[in-house]
Amino acid sequence: MKLSLIGTGYVGLVTGACFAEVGHQVICVDRDAEKIKLLQAGGMPIYEPGLEELVKKNVAEGRLRFSDSTREGVEQSDVIFIAVPTPPLPDGSVDLSFIEGVAREIAAAMTSYKIIVDKSTVPVKTGDKVAETIKRYCKGQVDFDVASNPEFLREGFAVDDLMHPDRVVIGVRTDRPVKAMKAIYEPFGAPIIVTDINSAELIKHAANSFLALKISYINAISVICEATGANVQEVAAGMGMDARIGRRFLDASLGFGGSCFPKDLSAFIKISEQLGYDFGLLREVQRINAEQMNRFVKKIVETLWVLKDKTIGVLGLAFKQNTDDVRLSPAIELCQRLQKEGAALRVHDPKAMDKARAVLKDVTYVDDMNAVAEGCDALVIATEWPAFKKLDLERARKSLSHPILFDGRNLFDVKEMERLGFIYKSIGR
Protein backbone atom coordinates (compact mmCIF):
# COMPACT_ATOMS: atom_id res chain seq x y z
CA MET A 1 0.00 0.00 0.00
CA LYS A 2 1.01 3.62 -0.45
CA LEU A 3 1.43 5.24 2.98
CA SER A 4 2.74 8.52 4.34
CA LEU A 5 3.82 9.43 7.85
CA ILE A 6 3.56 13.13 8.69
CA GLY A 7 6.16 13.68 11.40
CA THR A 8 9.48 11.83 11.64
CA GLY A 9 10.08 11.72 15.38
CA TYR A 10 10.36 8.49 17.38
CA VAL A 11 6.88 7.31 16.36
CA GLY A 12 6.79 8.45 12.74
CA LEU A 13 10.26 7.32 11.74
CA VAL A 14 10.05 3.91 13.40
CA THR A 15 6.54 3.29 12.07
CA GLY A 16 7.51 4.34 8.56
CA ALA A 17 10.60 2.11 8.52
CA CYS A 18 8.67 -0.90 9.81
CA PHE A 19 5.81 -0.37 7.35
CA ALA A 20 8.40 -0.31 4.54
CA GLU A 21 10.05 -3.45 5.93
CA VAL A 22 6.85 -5.47 5.44
CA GLY A 23 6.46 -4.27 1.86
CA HIS A 24 4.49 -1.01 1.85
CA GLN A 25 5.59 2.04 -0.13
CA VAL A 26 6.26 4.74 2.49
CA ILE A 27 7.07 8.43 2.41
CA CYS A 28 8.04 10.07 5.71
CA VAL A 29 7.34 13.80 5.84
CA ASP A 30 8.63 16.45 8.21
CA ARG A 31 8.56 20.24 7.99
CA ASP A 32 12.09 20.30 9.44
CA ALA A 33 14.05 20.49 6.19
CA GLU A 34 17.38 19.90 7.95
CA LYS A 35 16.11 16.66 9.47
CA ILE A 36 14.91 15.51 6.06
CA LYS A 37 18.29 16.36 4.50
CA LEU A 38 20.00 14.36 7.24
CA LEU A 39 17.78 11.33 6.59
CA GLN A 40 18.20 11.61 2.83
CA ALA A 41 21.96 11.64 3.34
CA GLY A 42 21.83 8.46 5.40
CA GLY A 43 22.06 10.13 8.84
CA MET A 44 19.82 9.50 11.86
CA PRO A 45 18.22 12.19 14.07
CA ILE A 46 17.60 9.75 16.95
CA TYR A 47 19.14 6.62 18.42
CA GLU A 48 16.90 3.57 18.53
CA PRO A 49 18.33 0.03 18.44
CA GLY A 50 17.94 -1.51 14.98
CA LEU A 51 16.38 1.58 13.41
CA GLU A 52 19.34 2.86 11.40
CA GLU A 53 19.86 -0.50 9.71
CA LEU A 54 16.15 -0.78 8.93
CA VAL A 55 15.99 2.71 7.41
CA LYS A 56 19.08 2.22 5.25
CA LYS A 57 17.88 -1.16 4.01
CA ASN A 58 14.44 0.06 2.94
CA VAL A 59 15.76 3.27 1.40
CA ALA A 60 18.18 1.18 -0.67
CA GLU A 61 15.39 -1.16 -1.73
CA GLY A 62 13.17 1.77 -2.78
CA ARG A 63 10.32 1.33 -0.31
CA LEU A 64 11.14 4.27 1.99
CA ARG A 65 11.86 7.90 1.18
CA PHE A 66 11.71 11.30 2.84
CA SER A 67 10.23 14.70 2.01
CA ASP A 68 9.58 18.07 3.65
CA SER A 69 6.38 18.52 1.61
CA THR A 70 3.05 17.52 3.17
CA ARG A 71 1.44 17.99 -0.23
CA GLU A 72 3.78 15.39 -1.74
CA GLY A 73 2.98 12.98 1.06
CA VAL A 74 -0.77 13.43 0.57
CA GLU A 75 -0.73 13.23 -3.21
CA GLN A 76 1.35 10.05 -3.29
CA SER A 77 -0.43 8.12 -0.52
CA ASP A 78 -3.74 6.37 0.02
CA VAL A 79 -3.43 6.39 3.81
CA ILE A 80 -1.89 9.30 5.73
CA PHE A 81 -0.72 8.83 9.32
CA ILE A 82 -0.41 11.91 11.53
CA ALA A 83 2.54 11.39 13.89
CA VAL A 84 3.38 14.92 15.02
CA PRO A 85 4.14 16.00 18.62
CA THR A 86 1.35 16.66 21.11
CA PRO A 87 3.28 18.49 23.85
CA PRO A 88 1.78 19.41 27.23
CA LEU A 89 0.50 22.88 28.03
CA PRO A 90 1.19 24.47 31.44
CA ASP A 91 -2.19 23.32 32.84
CA GLY A 92 -1.54 19.68 31.87
CA SER A 93 -3.79 19.67 28.82
CA VAL A 94 -2.48 18.81 25.35
CA ASP A 95 -1.27 21.27 22.74
CA LEU A 96 -3.08 20.14 19.59
CA SER A 97 -1.80 22.95 17.36
CA PHE A 98 0.50 20.60 15.41
CA ILE A 99 -2.39 18.19 14.80
CA GLU A 100 -4.65 21.02 13.65
CA GLY A 101 -1.93 22.47 11.42
CA VAL A 102 -1.27 19.13 9.70
CA ALA A 103 -5.01 18.50 9.27
CA ARG A 104 -5.29 21.83 7.45
CA GLU A 105 -2.30 21.01 5.23
CA ILE A 106 -3.77 17.61 4.39
CA ALA A 107 -7.12 19.18 3.55
CA ALA A 108 -5.52 21.73 1.24
CA ALA A 109 -3.66 19.00 -0.66
CA MET A 110 -6.47 16.45 -1.03
CA THR A 111 -7.97 15.86 -4.47
CA SER A 112 -9.21 12.27 -4.03
CA TYR A 113 -10.40 9.91 -1.29
CA LYS A 114 -7.91 9.46 1.57
CA ILE A 115 -7.83 7.78 4.95
CA ILE A 116 -6.33 10.07 7.59
CA VAL A 117 -5.10 8.27 10.69
CA ASP A 118 -4.22 9.81 14.06
CA LYS A 119 -1.07 8.02 15.22
CA SER A 120 -0.14 10.73 17.73
CA THR A 121 -1.37 10.38 21.32
CA VAL A 122 -4.40 12.67 21.49
CA PRO A 123 -7.32 13.37 23.85
CA VAL A 124 -10.58 11.57 23.28
CA LYS A 125 -12.77 13.22 20.61
CA THR A 126 -9.74 14.58 18.72
CA GLY A 127 -10.76 12.46 15.72
CA ASP A 128 -13.99 14.43 15.47
CA LYS A 129 -12.01 17.68 15.47
CA VAL A 130 -9.63 16.41 12.79
CA ALA A 131 -12.57 15.39 10.58
CA GLU A 132 -14.23 18.75 11.11
CA THR A 133 -11.01 20.62 10.27
CA ILE A 134 -10.39 18.63 7.08
CA LYS A 135 -13.98 19.13 5.92
CA ARG A 136 -13.72 22.86 6.62
CA TYR A 137 -10.44 23.45 4.78
CA CYS A 138 -10.74 20.94 1.94
CA LYS A 139 -11.22 22.53 -1.47
CA GLY A 140 -14.22 21.02 -3.18
CA GLN A 141 -16.20 17.92 -2.25
CA VAL A 142 -13.44 15.38 -1.59
CA ASP A 143 -14.39 12.26 0.36
CA PHE A 144 -12.26 10.99 3.25
CA ASP A 145 -12.28 8.98 6.46
CA VAL A 146 -10.58 9.66 9.79
CA ALA A 147 -9.34 6.81 11.98
CA SER A 148 -7.37 6.41 15.20
CA ASN A 149 -4.44 4.00 15.45
CA PRO A 150 -2.63 4.64 18.76
CA GLU A 151 0.98 3.55 19.09
CA PHE A 152 2.26 1.41 21.96
CA LEU A 153 5.98 1.72 21.33
CA ARG A 154 8.58 1.68 24.08
CA GLU A 155 11.60 3.83 23.33
CA GLY A 156 14.62 1.57 23.26
CA PHE A 157 12.49 -1.35 22.03
CA ALA A 158 10.36 0.45 19.43
CA VAL A 159 11.40 -1.55 16.35
CA ASP A 160 10.68 -4.86 18.04
CA ASP A 161 7.41 -3.54 19.48
CA LEU A 162 6.20 -2.51 16.03
CA MET A 163 7.42 -5.59 14.18
CA HIS A 164 5.91 -7.89 16.84
CA PRO A 165 2.97 -6.00 18.41
CA ASP A 166 0.83 -7.66 21.05
CA ARG A 167 -2.23 -5.91 19.55
CA VAL A 168 -3.21 -3.32 16.96
CA VAL A 169 -6.01 -0.91 17.85
CA ILE A 170 -7.99 0.69 15.04
CA GLY A 171 -10.71 3.22 15.87
CA VAL A 172 -13.12 4.23 13.13
CA ARG A 173 -16.16 6.45 12.58
CA THR A 174 -17.52 4.21 9.79
CA ASP A 175 -16.71 0.72 8.48
CA ARG A 176 -15.30 2.02 5.21
CA PRO A 177 -11.58 2.33 6.22
CA VAL A 178 -11.45 -0.95 8.17
CA LYS A 179 -10.44 -3.18 5.24
CA ALA A 180 -7.53 -0.92 4.25
CA MET A 181 -6.33 -0.52 7.84
CA LYS A 182 -6.40 -4.30 8.38
CA ALA A 183 -4.45 -4.79 5.16
CA ILE A 184 -1.71 -2.44 6.39
CA TYR A 185 -1.22 -4.50 9.56
CA GLU A 186 -1.86 -7.99 8.16
CA PRO A 187 1.88 -8.70 7.60
CA PHE A 188 2.59 -8.16 11.31
CA GLY A 189 0.39 -11.09 12.36
CA ALA A 190 -0.99 -9.38 15.47
CA PRO A 191 -4.53 -9.40 16.89
CA ILE A 192 -6.46 -6.43 15.48
CA ILE A 193 -9.04 -4.71 17.67
CA VAL A 194 -11.56 -2.51 15.83
CA THR A 195 -13.39 -0.01 18.01
CA ASP A 196 -15.18 3.28 17.71
CA ILE A 197 -12.76 6.17 17.41
CA ASN A 198 -13.37 7.54 20.92
CA SER A 199 -12.58 4.18 22.52
CA ALA A 200 -9.34 3.88 20.54
CA GLU A 201 -8.21 7.30 21.69
CA LEU A 202 -9.04 6.44 25.31
CA ILE A 203 -7.21 3.10 25.17
CA LYS A 204 -3.82 4.83 24.80
CA HIS A 205 -4.25 7.23 27.72
CA ALA A 206 -5.82 4.52 29.89
CA ALA A 207 -2.97 2.07 29.16
CA ASN A 208 -0.12 4.51 29.80
CA SER A 209 -1.74 5.84 32.96
CA PHE A 210 -2.16 2.30 34.28
CA LEU A 211 1.51 1.50 33.62
CA ALA A 212 2.53 4.70 35.41
CA LEU A 213 0.30 3.66 38.31
CA LYS A 214 2.04 0.28 38.43
CA ILE A 215 5.47 1.94 38.64
CA SER A 216 4.34 4.31 41.38
CA TYR A 217 2.79 1.41 43.28
CA ILE A 218 6.05 -0.53 43.46
CA ASN A 219 7.91 2.66 44.35
CA ALA A 220 5.49 3.17 47.24
CA ILE A 221 6.13 -0.44 48.27
CA SER A 222 9.88 0.31 48.18
CA VAL A 223 9.36 2.90 50.93
CA ILE A 224 7.70 0.24 53.13
CA CYS A 225 10.53 -2.17 52.31
CA GLU A 226 13.18 0.30 53.44
CA ALA A 227 11.25 0.94 56.66
CA THR A 228 11.02 -2.78 57.46
CA GLY A 229 14.24 -4.23 56.06
CA ALA A 230 12.39 -6.10 53.31
CA ASN A 231 13.71 -6.35 49.74
CA VAL A 232 11.52 -4.72 47.08
CA GLN A 233 12.93 -6.96 44.34
CA GLU A 234 11.86 -10.07 46.20
CA VAL A 235 8.44 -8.54 46.87
CA ALA A 236 8.08 -7.65 43.17
CA ALA A 237 9.11 -11.17 42.14
CA GLY A 238 6.50 -12.68 44.43
CA MET A 239 3.81 -10.31 43.15
CA GLY A 240 4.79 -10.72 39.53
CA MET A 241 4.33 -14.49 39.53
CA ASP A 242 0.61 -13.85 39.95
CA ALA A 243 -0.72 -14.04 36.39
CA ARG A 244 -3.25 -11.32 37.20
CA ILE A 245 -0.42 -8.88 38.00
CA GLY A 246 2.70 -9.82 36.00
CA ARG A 247 6.30 -8.82 36.69
CA ARG A 248 6.75 -6.05 34.12
CA PHE A 249 6.79 -2.43 35.34
CA LEU A 250 7.43 -3.55 38.91
CA ASP A 251 11.01 -2.27 39.17
CA ALA A 252 11.55 0.28 41.94
CA SER A 253 13.58 3.24 40.76
CA LEU A 254 13.95 7.01 40.70
CA GLY A 255 10.52 7.14 39.08
CA PHE A 256 9.18 7.31 35.55
CA GLY A 257 10.02 10.04 33.06
CA GLY A 258 10.36 10.55 29.34
CA SER A 259 8.04 12.12 26.81
CA CYS A 260 5.08 9.74 27.30
CA PHE A 261 4.12 8.77 30.85
CA PRO A 262 4.32 12.21 32.53
CA LYS A 263 2.59 13.93 29.60
CA ASP A 264 -0.10 11.29 29.11
CA LEU A 265 -0.83 11.12 32.84
CA SER A 266 -1.30 14.90 33.09
CA ALA A 267 -3.40 14.89 29.93
CA PHE A 268 -5.69 12.10 31.17
CA ILE A 269 -6.22 13.90 34.48
CA LYS A 270 -7.13 17.07 32.58
CA ILE A 271 -9.36 15.21 30.11
CA SER A 272 -11.22 13.56 33.00
CA GLU A 273 -11.59 16.92 34.72
CA GLN A 274 -13.09 18.45 31.57
CA LEU A 275 -15.51 15.53 31.42
CA GLY A 276 -16.59 16.16 35.02
CA TYR A 277 -14.57 13.44 36.80
CA ASP A 278 -11.88 14.05 39.42
CA PHE A 279 -9.29 11.32 38.72
CA GLY A 280 -7.65 11.61 42.14
CA LEU A 281 -6.01 8.20 41.81
CA LEU A 282 -3.82 9.48 38.97
CA ARG A 283 -2.90 12.65 40.85
CA GLU A 284 -1.61 10.41 43.62
CA VAL A 285 0.46 8.52 41.03
CA GLN A 286 2.07 11.86 40.11
CA ARG A 287 2.69 12.70 43.77
CA ILE A 288 4.37 9.36 44.48
CA ASN A 289 6.58 9.78 41.41
CA ALA A 290 7.73 13.23 42.51
CA GLU A 291 8.28 12.05 46.09
CA GLN A 292 10.45 9.17 44.89
CA MET A 293 12.97 11.65 43.47
CA ASN A 294 12.79 13.73 46.67
CA ARG A 295 13.56 10.65 48.76
CA PHE A 296 16.56 9.72 46.62
CA VAL A 297 18.04 13.23 46.78
CA LYS A 298 17.47 13.24 50.55
CA LYS A 299 19.32 9.90 50.78
CA ILE A 300 22.33 11.43 49.03
CA VAL A 301 22.29 14.57 51.17
CA GLU A 302 21.93 12.63 54.42
CA THR A 303 24.88 10.40 53.49
CA LEU A 304 27.23 13.12 52.21
CA TRP A 305 25.85 15.80 54.58
CA VAL A 306 26.96 18.91 52.64
CA LEU A 307 27.05 18.70 48.84
CA LYS A 308 28.62 22.11 48.27
CA ASP A 309 32.14 21.73 46.84
CA LYS A 310 31.75 17.95 46.57
CA THR A 311 32.11 16.12 43.25
CA ILE A 312 29.60 13.44 42.33
CA GLY A 313 29.81 11.03 39.40
CA VAL A 314 26.56 10.23 37.60
CA LEU A 315 26.11 7.27 35.29
CA GLY A 316 23.13 7.75 32.99
CA LEU A 317 21.44 10.78 31.43
CA ALA A 318 18.77 9.28 29.15
CA PHE A 319 15.37 8.75 30.75
CA LYS A 320 15.75 5.00 30.23
CA GLN A 321 18.10 2.46 28.64
CA ASN A 322 18.56 2.02 24.87
CA THR A 323 17.67 5.59 23.91
CA ASP A 324 19.31 9.00 23.60
CA ASP A 325 16.10 10.76 24.69
CA VAL A 326 16.60 13.12 27.65
CA ARG A 327 13.14 14.69 27.64
CA LEU A 328 11.80 14.76 31.21
CA SER A 329 14.59 12.40 32.20
CA PRO A 330 14.76 11.57 35.92
CA ALA A 331 18.55 11.39 35.50
CA ILE A 332 18.72 14.97 34.21
CA GLU A 333 16.40 16.16 36.98
CA LEU A 334 18.63 14.44 39.54
CA CYS A 335 21.73 16.13 38.12
CA GLN A 336 20.06 19.52 38.25
CA ARG A 337 18.93 18.93 41.84
CA LEU A 338 22.48 17.98 42.86
CA GLN A 339 23.84 21.10 41.13
CA LYS A 340 21.41 23.26 43.10
CA GLU A 341 22.85 21.75 46.27
CA GLY A 342 26.29 22.95 45.13
CA ALA A 343 27.77 19.70 43.83
CA ALA A 344 30.09 19.49 40.84
CA LEU A 345 29.25 16.64 38.46
CA ARG A 346 31.12 14.20 36.25
CA VAL A 347 28.61 12.42 33.98
CA HIS A 348 28.45 9.69 31.36
CA ASP A 349 25.80 8.09 29.16
CA PRO A 350 26.40 5.57 26.34
CA LYS A 351 24.15 7.42 23.85
CA ALA A 352 22.59 10.56 25.33
CA MET A 353 25.52 12.91 26.02
CA ASP A 354 25.12 14.96 22.84
CA LYS A 355 21.46 15.69 23.56
CA ALA A 356 22.14 16.20 27.26
CA ARG A 357 24.58 19.02 26.50
CA ALA A 358 21.66 21.16 25.37
CA VAL A 359 19.90 20.95 28.76
CA LEU A 360 22.62 20.11 31.31
CA LYS A 361 25.30 22.76 31.60
CA ASP A 362 28.42 23.19 33.74
CA VAL A 363 29.19 19.49 34.14
CA THR A 364 32.13 17.39 33.00
CA TYR A 365 31.15 14.91 30.31
CA VAL A 366 33.26 11.74 30.48
CA ASP A 367 33.51 9.31 27.54
CA ASP A 368 34.53 6.25 29.58
CA MET A 369 32.09 5.04 32.23
CA ASN A 370 34.95 3.58 34.24
CA ALA A 371 36.61 7.00 34.47
CA VAL A 372 33.59 8.83 35.87
CA ALA A 373 34.39 8.04 39.52
CA GLU A 374 37.89 9.55 39.40
CA GLY A 375 38.18 12.23 42.07
CA CYS A 376 34.53 11.94 43.09
CA ASP A 377 33.10 11.84 46.61
CA ALA A 378 30.33 9.46 45.49
CA LEU A 379 28.97 7.70 42.43
CA VAL A 380 25.30 7.61 41.34
CA ILE A 381 23.58 5.27 38.89
CA ALA A 382 20.65 7.12 37.35
CA THR A 383 19.74 5.10 34.22
CA GLU A 384 19.42 1.32 33.89
CA TRP A 385 21.84 0.84 30.99
CA PRO A 386 22.92 -2.85 30.85
CA ALA A 387 26.51 -1.70 30.28
CA PHE A 388 26.61 -0.24 33.79
CA LYS A 389 26.28 -3.74 35.25
CA LYS A 390 29.78 -4.34 33.83
CA LEU A 391 31.25 -1.33 35.62
CA ASP A 392 34.75 -1.99 36.96
CA LEU A 393 33.70 -1.81 40.61
CA GLU A 394 37.20 -2.32 41.98
CA ARG A 395 38.50 0.61 39.94
CA ALA A 396 35.50 2.70 40.99
CA ARG A 397 36.08 1.96 44.67
CA LYS A 398 39.73 2.96 44.41
CA SER A 399 38.94 6.08 42.36
CA LEU A 400 36.37 7.46 44.80
CA SER A 401 37.46 9.63 47.71
CA HIS A 402 34.98 7.61 49.74
CA PRO A 403 33.55 4.27 48.46
CA ILE A 404 29.95 5.51 48.33
CA LEU A 405 27.57 4.38 45.55
CA PHE A 406 23.93 5.41 45.22
CA ASP A 407 22.07 3.01 42.93
CA GLY A 408 18.83 4.54 41.62
CA ARG A 409 18.14 1.47 39.47
CA ASN A 410 19.06 -1.44 41.78
CA LEU A 411 21.61 -2.84 39.33
CA PHE A 412 23.87 -4.49 41.89
CA ASP A 413 23.51 -7.05 44.66
CA VAL A 414 23.50 -5.50 48.13
CA LYS A 415 25.64 -8.15 49.82
CA GLU A 416 28.18 -8.21 47.00
CA MET A 417 28.57 -4.42 47.13
CA GLU A 418 29.10 -4.53 50.88
CA ARG A 419 31.64 -7.33 50.44
CA LEU A 420 33.54 -5.13 47.99
CA GLY A 421 33.71 -2.41 50.64
CA PHE A 422 31.12 0.03 49.33
CA ILE A 423 28.74 2.15 51.33
CA TYR A 424 25.88 1.12 49.04
CA LYS A 425 22.48 2.83 48.98
CA SER A 426 19.79 1.48 46.65
CA ILE A 427 15.99 1.70 46.53
CA GLY A 428 13.70 -0.45 48.66
CA ARG A 429 16.48 -2.77 49.82
Side-chain angles (χ1 to χ4, degrees), residues 182-200:
K182 284 185 174 181
I184 291 171
Y185 281 102
E186 184 179 5
F188 297 95
I192 295 176
I193 303 169
V194 179
T195 72
D196 63 89
I197 199 165
N198 290 344
S199 295

Side-chain angles (χ1 to χ4, degrees), residues 75-372:
E75 290 175 347
Q76 299 189 20
S77 303
D78 300 315
V79 184
I80 304 150
F81 289 82
I82 300 175
V84 295
T86 51
L89 292 169
D91 67 350
S93 59
V94 179
D95 180 356
L96 294 173
S97 60
F98 294 105
I99 297 283
E100 197 265 355
V102 168
R104 291 176 62 172
E105 291 176 4
I106 292 170
M110 280 173 45
T111 56
S112 61
Y113 174 76
K114 305 289 181 183
I115 300 172
I116 298 96
V117 185
D118 266 334
K119 195 72 176 169
S120 303
T121 301
V122 295
V124 63
K125 297 189 176 181
T126 298
D128 294 339
K129 294 293 185 182
V130 169
E132 182 181 318
T133 299
I134 292 174
K135 187 175 182 180
R136 182 177 299 164
Y137 288 95
C138 186
K139 299 173 184 178
Q141 298 295 316
V142 181
D143 209 5
F144 68 92
D145 276 297
V146 171
S148 174
N149 175 217
E151 53 85 15
F152 302 99
L153 308 181
R154 298 168 297 159
E155 286 187 39
F157 305 91
V159 171
D160 188 63
D161 284 347
L162 211 150
M163 295 302 296
H164 306 97
D166 48 17
R167 84 285 202 197
V168 174
V169 175
I170 298 168
V172 294
R173 292 154 54 90
T174 71
D175 290 336
R176 185 166 51 176
V178 172
K179 183 178 179 181
M181 292 299 296
K182 284 185 174 181
I184 291 171
Y185 281 102
E186 184 179 5
F188 297 95
I192 295 176
I193 303 169
V194 179
T195 72
D196 63 89
I197 199 165
N198 290 344
S199 295
E201 290 170 339
L202 267 176
I203 285 169
K204 178 58 187 291
H205 274 123
N208 273 6
S209 295
F210 184 81
L211 294 174
L213 183 153
K214 200 171 179 183
I215 295 169
S216 280
Y217 182 83
I218 199 63
N219 279 336
I221 293 297
S222 76
V223 178
I224 305 301
C225 287
E226 288 188 15
T228 59
N231 186 320
V232 71
Q233 290 177 314
E234 294 178 0
V235 173
M239 290 173 58
M241 291 180 73
D242 188 325
R244 297 169 300 175
I245 297 173
R247 180 62 180 82
R248 296 174 68 185
F249 290 87
L250 286 179
D251 291 310
S253 67
L254 296 174
F256 57 79
S259 63
C260 291
F261 283 3
K263 174 178 73 74
D264 292 352
L265 197 61
S266 295
F268 203 23
I269 291 170
K270 193 66 178 180
I271 291 165
S272 302
E273 180 184 306
Q274 292 167 347
L275 294 171
Y277 179 68
D278 178 7
F279 217 143
L281 176 63
L282 297 187
R283 287 204 312 275
E284 183 64 11
V285 170
Q286 288 181 317
R287 189 198 68 78
I288 292 171
N289 196 57
E291 184 60 25
Q292 193 73 356
M293 177 63 73
N294 292 338
R295 291 178 61 82
F296 194 72
V297 172
K298 183 180 179 182
K299 190 175 294 188
I300 295 172
V301 172
E302 287 181 344
T303 304
L304 299 181
W305 189 21
V306 176
L307 299 192
K308 190 174 185 297
D309 297 328
K310 286 190 170 70
T311 301
I312 298 175
V314 179
L315 291 172
L317 298 170
F319 85 94
K320 61 180 288 189
Q321 62 174 309
N322 294 334
T323 181
D324 61 353
D325 195 349
V326 297
R327 291 174 294 176
L328 296 179
S329 169
I332 295 290
E333 180 186 348
L334 175 63
C335 288
Q336 292 170 337
R337 294 275 294 268
L338 296 176
Q339 283 182 311
K340 286 181 181 178
E341 293 284 340
L345 302 181
R346 290 170 57 82
V347 303
H348 169 80
D349 189 281
K351 295 293 180 181
M353 290 203 289
D354 286 344
K355 290 188 176 178
R357 284 184 171 93
V359 294
L360 187 62
K361 309 293 185 180
D362 301 319
V363 304
T364 300
Y365 288 91
V366 182
D367 291 332
D368 179 2
M369 70 174 180
N370 286 308
V372 171

Side-chain angles (χ1 to χ4, degrees), residues 13-28 50-66 159 163:
L13 187 55
V14 173
T15 303
C18 291
F19 280 168
E21 176 68 10
V22 297
H24 301 304
Q25 292 292 321
V26 180
I27 178 170
C28 286
L51 179 60
E52 183 174 3
E53 297 82 359
L54 207 61
V55 168
K56 288 181 176 179
K57 174 189 174 186
N58 284 281
V59 168
E61 295 178 0
R63 290 188 298 270
L64 178 64
R65 57 196 181 88
F66 305 98
V159 171
M163 295 302 296

